Amino acid sequence: MNSSQAEGGSRPWMRLLRLLAMLACVASLSACATGSNPRDPLEGFNRAMFNFNDALDRAAIKPAATVYQQVTPQPVQTGVGNFFGNIGDVWTMVNQFLQGKVKHGLNDMMRVAVNSTLGLGGLLDIASEAGLSKHKEDFGQTLGVWGIKSGPYLVLPVFGPSTFRDSLAFGADLAADPWRQVKPRYQRNSGTALRLLDQRASLLDAGNLMEEAALDRYEFVRDAYLQRRASMIEQGADAGDEAAPAQQQAQSDAQPQAVQSDAQPAAVLAQEYEALPPLPMQQARNAWRLKPALLHLETLR
């Protein structure tokens, strides 16, 4: 193994270690950055990160996504979304099995097989037309179904809305992304940039809706994110073979005080960002992980 291979192999773990170090720094700020919401004790820090991410989006990411949407033919945009969505289905399938949702896992396995072959490598979503429904699962959801509490709400620099649990799981989501195995590096990086541009472009209308509907955009995004994540985990617990303990945990995650203030607009926005692939927030679960993230633009995921 040469030095470049060693460096590439260790990079996911180094990134995870950096994330853990960042979380430790965030925790150290909790005493001076507390909020009244029990699910958001780091509100001062989170608002600062939200404003930073918002400024970055307005200055660079949103303009680039707007140009991409305007100059790229719709069939090409659809093909790009389908291609990376098919890649994301691989990790979704793994998490379905980890959560005990065998039926859904087999469904996603068939989706990958059908779209990778008949769908020209995933450019066409033949599976959906054949009745194989699309799902989105990440390792944060899996940990939630296993009964691990979400912990406080946390806004990550660049990557956006998350929780302590989902932030730790984010390292696994990044490391397991099949696109990371693409070589040479310039092709992988170019594809990642295209992936994020396409995902951001798909959220332009949702971002405009949020700006029109929310008096406090930070609270709007926080409540919508927490509400959506609790719903996704509860659905996963209901579908799994060991539903009862995990369902109790999901109900604990969905504390009313964290999600009631903007229930209606949050539900509307959740419909918009449900279409996000897991990324890598969905994902930048994935960079933006657009994890489902990137709800504030809104995903890595």
Side-chain angles (χ1 to χ4, degrees), residues 57-80:
D57 179 63
R58 291 176 183 272
I61 301 175
K62 183 177 180 179
T66 301
V67 172
Y68 168 82
Q69 185 183 65
Q70 293 173 346
V71 305
T72 307
Q74 185 58 49
V76 175
Q77 295 183 46
T78 300
V80 171

Side-chain angles (χ1 to χ4, degrees), residues 79-117:
V80 171
N82 288 342
F83 177 79
F84 287 108
N86 184 56
I87 292 175
D89 284 344
V90 176
W91 185 229
T92 288
M93 173 193 69
V94 173
N95 280 285
Q96 299 279 31
F97 288 129
L98 291 175
Q99 295 173 29
K101 297 186 288 186
V102 177
K103 182 178 179 180
H104 287 173
L106 293 174
N107 173 94
D108 295 325
M109 181 186 296
M110 287 299 300
R111 280 188 57 87
V112 173
V114 170
N115 286 338
S116 297
T117 54

Side-chain angles (χ1 to χ4, degrees), residues 96-214:
Q96 299 279 31
F97 288 129
L98 291 175
Q99 295 173 29
K101 297 186 288 186
V102 177
K103 182 178 179 180
H104 287 173
L106 293 174
N107 173 94
D108 295 325
M109 181 186 296
M110 287 299 300
R111 280 188 57 87
V112 173
V114 170
N115 286 338
S116 297
T117 54
L118 301 179
L120 304 179
L123 293 176
L124 303 177
D125 188 2
I126 303 297
S128 292
E129 297 180 5
L132 295 170
S133 57
K134 184 174 181 63
H135 306 107
K136 292 185 302 177
E137 303 288 336
D138 55 58
F139 196 59
Q141 292 169 248
T142 297
L143 293 179
V145 171
W146 287 353
I148 297 177
K149 295 182 179 180
S150 66
Y153 178 67
L154 179 64
V155 180
L156 299 177
V158 180
F159 296 103
S162 187
T163 63
F164 272 30
R165 178 194 62 209
D166 291 346
S167 297
L168 293 174
F170 183 34
D173 291 331
L174 285 177
D177 181 13
W179 186 252
R180 290 181 54 82
Q181 307 306 317
V182 172
K183 295 180 180 179
R185 181 180 300 179
Y186 79 89
Q187 291 184 356
R188 180 173 69 248
N189 293 342
S190 298
T192 298
L194 176 61
R195 183 184 201 173
L196 299 179
L197 270 180
D198 182 76
Q199 291 176 327
R200 181 62 183 93
S202 70
L203 293 165
L204 289 173
D205 291 339
N208 294 335
L209 169 66
M210 180 182 69
E211 291 177 0
E212 294 172 1

Side-chain angles (χ1 to χ4, degrees), residues 192-261:
T192 298
L194 176 61
R195 183 184 201 173
L196 299 179
L197 270 180
D198 182 76
Q199 291 176 327
R200 181 62 183 93
S202 70
L203 293 165
L204 289 173
D205 291 339
N208 294 335
L209 169 66
M210 180 182 69
E211 291 177 0
E212 294 172 1
L215 296 177
D216 186 330
R217 292 193 301 124
Y218 170 80
E219 288 188 1
F220 185 89
V221 170
R222 178 194 64 197
D223 294 348
Y225 177 81
L226 292 174
Q227 185 179 51
R228 178 58 182 158
R229 290 298 286 179
S231 174
M232 295 168 73
I233 292 170
E234 184 175 4
Q235 292 172 6
D238 289 343
D241 295 332
E242 301 293 338
Q247 185 172 8
Q248 293 174 1
Q249 177 58 46
Q251 291 170 350
S252 175
D253 278 352
Q255 296 180 32
Q257 58 266 37
V259 299
Q260 289 298 324
S261 61

